[in-house]
C-alpha cells in the first residue's frame, strides 16, 4: 500500500497535471482534497488535449477511480459541464467518480460576490479566478454554507435562507442585486438530482480502500505559496493546499500518507497580484512567458514570470515534507546564456534565507542570485538524465542543493513520453511496489 501526495511547490501552474497523468496508472485512485474549479490542469497525450478543472486527470485512464474530497468547493454546473465534455471525448466517468457529500457547494451568488469584491478593490485586488472560491470557503467557516449532500435535504429552503440573506446583504453593499431565492432553490433541487449518483461518504470509502491494500494518489491544486496559512497571505487562495490539507480534506489521517512528491517548475510563475521577488519585467519575463506558453488554463490571463525562487521552494519542502521533486519545464530555459536561482532575500539590508511572514517584508525583498551557465542546446524529449548537457545537469544539482530535496523526475517537454525518471530510492518510495518499471514502460523508456 502506498499513498502519495503530489502538490505544487510554488504559486500553482507547476505542471502537476502531466506528472499526475504519468504516475497515476500505478495507483488505484486519484483524490483531490481542496480548491474547486479555480484549478486547471492541461494534459496532453498523443493528439488529445484536455483542460480539467475539478475532475482529476486520472479520469482519462480507463477504470481508474477518482474522488473529490470533502475539503473541496464544487460548483455543480461546472462539474456537469466537465463530465459532459469528457463524455463527448469518449471518457466515461460513470461508477468511478465519487464526490464527497461533505464538499461545499459554490452557488452563483458566490461568483457574483467574488467578481463584485475584485471590482471594488481596484488596485488592491487579489486577482482571483472569480470562481467564487473565497466566498464559498468563507461561508463554510461561518457555518452558513451548503454542502453537496444538503442540496437534497427536505429542509433545503430553510438552510438556504440565512445563506442567501448573508450573500444578498454583501452583494447589495457593493451595489449588486440580491440573488433570486426561488430560482436558486429550483436550481439546487435540479443539481441535487443530477449529483445523487455521484455522491458518497468519501472518508469511509478512502479508508476502506486503504484497509483493502489499495493505493491512493492525492492531487493538490494551486501551490504551496497559495496556501491559506502558509502562503503569501492575503494573496492566497482560501484552502489548505499543503500536505496537511490532504488529511483534512479527505478524512484520511496524516499517518496513512506515505510520501510527498513536490512539483517544481524550473522558473517561477504567478497569476494574480501579490509579491514576487524574482519577477522579471522586461525581455526575460516576456521570453519565459512566450517560450513556456505561460497563460492561465482557467482564466486565460498571461502569467507573471521570473527566475526560480529557491527560498520559497525550500520553505515548500519544509511545510509539505517533500520527499522528492519533479522538476518541470526545464527545456524552456534551453536557449539562455545564463540562468539564475534566488538563494536568499535581502530585506532592509539584511540577508535572509527564510520566507518572511508579512507581504510588506516580502514586498521589500531583493533577490540574492546564484548564477549558472546555460546549456544552449535543445533538451526537449530527453529521457536519459546522463544525456542532458553538463550545464543542465549542474542546474538540476544546484536546485537539489538549494531546495534540499532530490529531483526524482525531470520533465523535458509537455508530452508523457518527454520525461526523465531518475533511478533511486526517492522514486521507489513514492510509488507502489514495482511501479517505477511500469511508469518507465509507459513513457517508452
Ligand atoms: P482564488 O483561488 O480564485 O480565490 O484566487 C486566489 C489566488 O490564487 C489568485 O492569485 C489566483 O490567481 C490564484 N490561483 C487560484 N487557482 C490557481 C491555479 O490553479 N493556478 C495558479 N494560481 C491560482
Amino acid at each position: 500500500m502506498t499513498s502519495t501526495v503530489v502538490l505544487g511547490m510554488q504559486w500553482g501552474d507547476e505542471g502537476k497535471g502531466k506528472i499526475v497523468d504519468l504516475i497515476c496508472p500505478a495507483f488505484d485512485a486519484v483524490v483531490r482534497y481542496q480548491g474547486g474549479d479555480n484549478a486547471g490542469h492541461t494534459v496532453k497525450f498523443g493528439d488529445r488535449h484536455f483542460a480539467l478543472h475539478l475532475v482529476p486527470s486520472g479520469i482519462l485512464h480507463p477504470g481508474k477511480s477518482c474522488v473529490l474530497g470533502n475539503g473541496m468547493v464544487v460548483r455543480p454546473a461546472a462539474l456537469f459541464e466537465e463530465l459532459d465534455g469528457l463524455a463527448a471525448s469518449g471518457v466515461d466517468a460513470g461508477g468511478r467518480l465519487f464526490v464527497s457529500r461533505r464538499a461545499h457547494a459554490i452557488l452563483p451568488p458566490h461568483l457574483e460576490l467574488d467578481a463584485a469584491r475584485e471590482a471594488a478593490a481596484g488596485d488592491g485586488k487579489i486577482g482571483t479566478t472569480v470562481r467564487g472560491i473565497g466566498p464559498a470557503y468563507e461561508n463554510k467557516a461561518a457555518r452558513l454554507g451548503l454542502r453537496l449532500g444538503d442540496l437534497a435535504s427536505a429542509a433545503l429552503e430553510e438552510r438556504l435562507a440565512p445563506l442567501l440573506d448573508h450573500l444578498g446583504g454583501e452583494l447589495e453593499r457593493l451595489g449588486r442585486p440580491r440573488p433570486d431565492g426561488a430560482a436558486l432553490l429550483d436550481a439546487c433541487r435540479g443539481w441535487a438530482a443530477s449529483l445523487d449518483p455521484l455522491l458518497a461518504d468519501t472518508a469511509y470509502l478512502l479508508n476502506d480502500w486503504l484497509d483493502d491494500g489499495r493505493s491512493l494518489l492525492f492531487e493538490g491544486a494551486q501551490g504551496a505559496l497559495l496556501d491559506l496559512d502558509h502562503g503569501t497571505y492575503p494573496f492566497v487562495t482560501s484552502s489548505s493546499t499543503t500536505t496537511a490539507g490532504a488529511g483534512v480534506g479527505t478524512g484520511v489521517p496524516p499517518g496513512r500518507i506515505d510520501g510527498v512528491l513536490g512539483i517544481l517548475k524550473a522558473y517561477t510563475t504567478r497569476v494574480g497580484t501579490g509579491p514576487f521577488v524574482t519577477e522579471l519585467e522586461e525581455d526575460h519575463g516576456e521570453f519565459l512567458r512566450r517560450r513556456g506558453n505561460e497563460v492561465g488554463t482557467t482564466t486565460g490571463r498571461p502569467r507573471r514570470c521570473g527566475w526560480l525562487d529557491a527560498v520559497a521552494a525550500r520553505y515548500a519542502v519544509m511545510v509539505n515534507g517533500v520527499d522528492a521533486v519533479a522538476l518541470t519545464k526545464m527545456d524552456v530555459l534551453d536557449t539562455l546564456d545564463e540562468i539564475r536561482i534566488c538563494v536568499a532575500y535581502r530585506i532592509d539590508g539584511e540577508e535572509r534565507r527564510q520566507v518572511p511572514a508579512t507581504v510588506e517584508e516580502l514586498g521589500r525583498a531583493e533577490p540574492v542570485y546564484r548564477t549558472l551557465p546555460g546549456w544552449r542546446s535543445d533538451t526537449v524529449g530527453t529521457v536519459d538524465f546522463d544525456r542532458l548537457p553538463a550545464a543542465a545537469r549542474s542546474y538540476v544539482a544546484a536546485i537539489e542543493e538549494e531546495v534540499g530535496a532530490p529531483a526524482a523526475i525531470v520533465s523535458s517537454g509537455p508530452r508523457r513520453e518527454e520525461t526523465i525518471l531518475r533511478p533511486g530510492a526517492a522514486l521507489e518510495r513514492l510509488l507502489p511496489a514495482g511501479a517505477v518499471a511500469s511508469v518507465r514502460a509507459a513513457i517508452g523508456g
Side-chain angles (χ1 to χ4, degrees):
M1 167 189 98
T2 303
S3 49
T4 297
V5 177
V6 172
L7 48 76
M9 291 172 61
Q10 293 152 310
W11 283 271
D13 309 313
E14 296 90 351
K16 295 177 288 287
K18 170 183 163 170
I19 303 299
V20 168
D21 175 61
L22 177 70
I23 65 173
C24 81
F27 292 82
D28 294 305
V30 186
V31 186
R32 267 196 65 184
Y33 55 90
Q34 44 71 227
D37 64 323
N38 50 347
H41 287 328
T42 311
V43 182
K44 289 183 188 166
F45 181 50
D47 295 334
R48 297 164 86 185
H49 183 132
F50 292 90
L52 297 173
H53 298 281
L54 282 165
V55 180
S57 50
I59 208 74
L60 302 176
H61 296 262
K64 193 72 51 197
S65 298
C66 289
V67 176
L68 306 189
N70 56 275
M72 290 187 70
V73 283
V74 177
R75 180 162 63 91
L79 178 61
F80 302 137
E81 266 164 42
E82 214 161 293
L83 293 177
D84 288 348
L86 285 167
S89 304
V91 179
D92 181 12
R96 59 196 184 92
L97 177 67
F98 303 90
V99 182
S100 172
R101 285 197 168 84
R102 290 175 166 83
H104 275 247
I106 298 183
L107 303 175
H110 288 127
L111 279 78
E112 286 153 26
L113 185 55
D114 199 352
R117 283 181 178 163
E118 287 284 279
D123 285 348
K125 70 178 181 184
I126 304 286
T128 73
T129 59
V130 204
R131 295 294 191 275
I133 305 295
Y137 276 117
E138 212 175 287
N139 292 163
K140 169 181 173 175
R143 294 158 293 193
L144 278 172
L146 284 181
R147 293 164 151 195
L148 297 180
D150 296 328
L151 298 178
S153 162
L156 178 65
E157 196 168 353
E158 294 91 274
R159 293 287 307 278
L160 195 55
L163 177 62
L164 279 187
D165 192 42
H166 173 77
L167 289 169
E170 293 276 297
L171 283 165
E172 215 163 46
R173 272 195 317 110
L174 291 163
R176 308 282 173 123
R178 283 182 167 267
D180 176 344
L184 196 56
L185 187 62
D186 274 356
C188 286
R189 291 200 170 119
W191 292 325
S194 308
L195 280 168
D196 186 59
L198 299 171
L199 293 189
D201 288 345
T202 49
Y204 284 104
L205 190 71
L206 292 168
N207 280 286
D208 285 350
W209 285 350
L210 288 174
D211 290 345
D212 289 346
R214 296 201 214 177
S215 54
L216 304 180
L217 181 62
F218 295 93
E219 177 180 330
Q222 291 84 49
L225 277 301
L226 288 171
D227 181 271
L228 181 59
D229 285 80
H230 303 291
T232 48
Y233 190 90
F235 299 99
V236 292
T237 192
S238 300
S239 64
S240 298
T241 61
T242 36
T243 301
V248 177
T250 61
V252 171
R256 298 192 96 168
I257 293 173
D258 302 304
V260 182
L261 178 64
I263 314 297
L264 184 70
K265 187 149 56 181
Y267 51 95
T268 308
T269 61
R270 177 163 202 175
V271 280
T273 34
F276 183 168
V277 180
T278 60
E279 183 165 18
L280 292 165
E281 301 282 347
E282 310 272 325
D283 291 354
H284 270 122
E286 184 52 31
F287 167 84
L288 291 172
R289 195 154 32 245
R290 228 176 331 103
R291 244 188 89 88
N293 190 24
E294 295 297 351
V295 177
T297 318
T298 302
T299 58
R301 290 182 287 179
R303 297 177 184 143
R304 300 159 66 194
C305 296
W307 297 119
L308 181 67
D309 183 343
V311 182
R314 204 157 50 225
Y315 173 69
V317 166
M318 179 182 75
V319 297
N320 290 294
V322 168
D323 296 295
V325 164
L327 188 65
T328 60
K329 298 186 91 163
M330 204 173 76
D331 54 294
V332 171
L333 309 177
D334 275 355
T335 59
L336 294 174
D337 290 328
E338 55 176 39
I339 298 168
R340 292 174 167 196
I341 302 175
C342 171
V343 295
Y345 298 154
R346 187 166 294 112
I347 304 175
D348 304 332
E350 191 193 330
E351 198 165 300
R352 289 164 54 174
R353 287 176 57 83
Q354 297 188 352
V355 178
T358 68
V359 278
E360 288 77 15
E361 276 181 295
L362 195 57
R364 293 201 302 279
E366 298 288 334
V368 176
Y369 284 121
R370 171 172 171 186
T371 303
L372 292 109
W375 42 94
R376 296 186 55 84
S377 58
D378 184 0
T379 63
V380 175
T382 308
V383 292
D384 182 352
F385 188 76
D386 294 332
R387 287 187 176 269
L388 283 175
R393 281 183 272 131
S394 298
Y395 185 59
V396 176
I399 292 172
E400 293 179 314
E401 185 184 310
E402 296 296 346
V403 309
I409 298 176
V410 180
S411 169
S412 57
R415 296 179 183 279
R416 192 184 288 174
E417 307 76 39
E418 295 165 337
T419 310
I420 299 167
L421 293 186
R422 296 181 73 196
L427 202 53
E428 298 285 346
R429 182 176 163 195
L430 293 169
L431 298 181
V436 176
S438 58
V439 173
R440 193 178 297 284
I443 60 175

